[in-house]
Amino acid sequence: MRTALIYLMALTMAEVATVALSPMWGMVGHVLIFSAILVHSSFPPRKPLVLSLSLIPLVRIISLTMPIADLPQMLWYPIIYTPLLAATLVATRIMGYKREDIGATIKLSRTQLAIGLTGIVFGVMEYFILHPEPLVPDLNWQTLWLPAFILLVTTGFTEELIFRGVLQRTAVETLGNWRGIVYVSFLFAILHVGFLSWADVAFVFAIAMFFGWIVKKTGSLLGVTLSHGLTNIMLFLVAPSLL
């Protein structure tokens, strides 16, 4: 627990530095944390939680260093999340987890579909907190389907695989059921500090707790993946145009 809290505090400070000081200082912080995690996890005994935490600073290192400012914003997501997904799969293999261990199974049911549809409500609620600009110029099928698919695969599937899949598995094994879920929810929430809204950080923490509980109860990422993807589709594509 002490080690987990130290890394949580360090990651929080790096995120605050990114926003309050400059992205350069935030990147320096995340590089140092990433290096410390890799060195720490290389010493015996085996430390799955520490290794899985390396994915968090990696998110920021990739997003802050890639020269993507001149590209359309929708292309940022596949550029950033493709290497992140690859790193997640490698870490999963190193730790010896099977698909079932991290909830990467398709258990299609009415319950999972109902969970997925909560993303519509969550997206509208978060829109009223952040009021973001739309990522598409017009709301029609031709301009909507590709950005919606990108958000579903990147922020939906990849982020849920990282947080509710790999990280939650290692955190629960190390810290216990509820402490593990709360810990991962804090990690997920602090990555939203960049929106400059503490109300959104609190909202995201509550949603992360809900997602963590669902995955723990059902053993599947399907419902939360759909919900997470729909949340961002509503937040960035649909709600800004309709509301």
Side-chain angles (χ1 to χ4, degrees), residues 136-189:
V136 292
D138 301 300
L139 192 62
N140 57 67
W141 176 248
Q142 288 77 14
T143 60
L144 187 63
W145 76 268
L146 183 57
F149 177 75
I150 289 173
L151 288 175
L152 182 63
V153 173
T154 56
T155 64
F157 173 70
T158 305
E159 287 190 8
E160 288 307 310
L161 181 65
I162 292 171
F163 286 93
R164 256 62 64 179
V166 177
L167 268 170
Q168 182 162 305
R169 171 75 186 204
T170 58
V172 165
E173 286 181 346
T174 306
L175 307 176
N177 286 337
W178 281 109
R179 286 196 293 183
I181 292 173
V182 170
Y183 182 76
V184 173
S185 299
F186 269 117
L187 286 172
F188 188 69

Side-chain angles (χ1 to χ4, degrees), residues 13-153:
M13 291 173 62
E15 281 297 291
V16 171
T18 301
V19 175
L21 299 178
S22 73
M24 182 193 72
W25 286 111
M27 185 179 67
V28 169
H30 281 296
V31 168
L32 292 175
I33 296 168
F34 181 70
S35 302
I37 288 173
L38 291 184
V39 172
H40 186 186
S41 62
S42 67
F43 288 99
R46 186 166 168 263
K47 306 177 184 69
L49 176 58
V50 176
L51 179 59
S52 64
L53 283 173
S54 66
L55 299 171
I56 307 301
L58 189 60
V59 173
R60 282 295 176 262
I61 293 170
I62 294 173
S63 63
L64 291 172
T65 56
M66 279 193 169
I68 57 179
D70 294 332
L71 296 176
Q73 189 171 351
M74 279 312 307
L75 294 181
W76 297 5
Y77 293 95
I79 292 174
I80 291 171
Y81 281 87
T82 297
L84 189 58
L85 176 60
T88 305
L89 296 176
V90 169
T92 303
R93 187 174 181 85
I94 290 173
M95 290 182 285
Y97 290 145
K98 299 178 182 178
R99 291 189 300 114
E100 295 80 6
D101 297 331
I102 56 174
T105 57
I106 299 177
K107 297 181 178 179
L108 188 60
S109 65
R110 291 181 180 179
T111 300
Q112 294 292 338
L113 292 177
I115 294 166
L117 290 176
T118 60
I120 298 175
V121 178
F122 295 156
V124 172
M125 293 173 66
E126 193 168 11
Y127 170 76
F128 283 114
I129 296 174
L130 295 177
H131 296 281
E133 294 296 321
L135 294 183
V136 292
D138 301 300
L139 192 62
N140 57 67
W141 176 248
Q142 288 77 14
T143 60
L144 187 63
W145 76 268
L146 183 57
F149 177 75
I150 289 173
L151 288 175
L152 182 63
V153 173

Side-chain angles (χ1 to χ4, degrees), residues 196-215:
L196 302 178
S197 170
W198 289 112
D200 186 61
V201 172
F203 176 78
V204 168
F205 174 77
I207 300 304
M209 287 291 295
F210 170 70
F211 283 175
W213 176 75
I214 288 294
V215 172

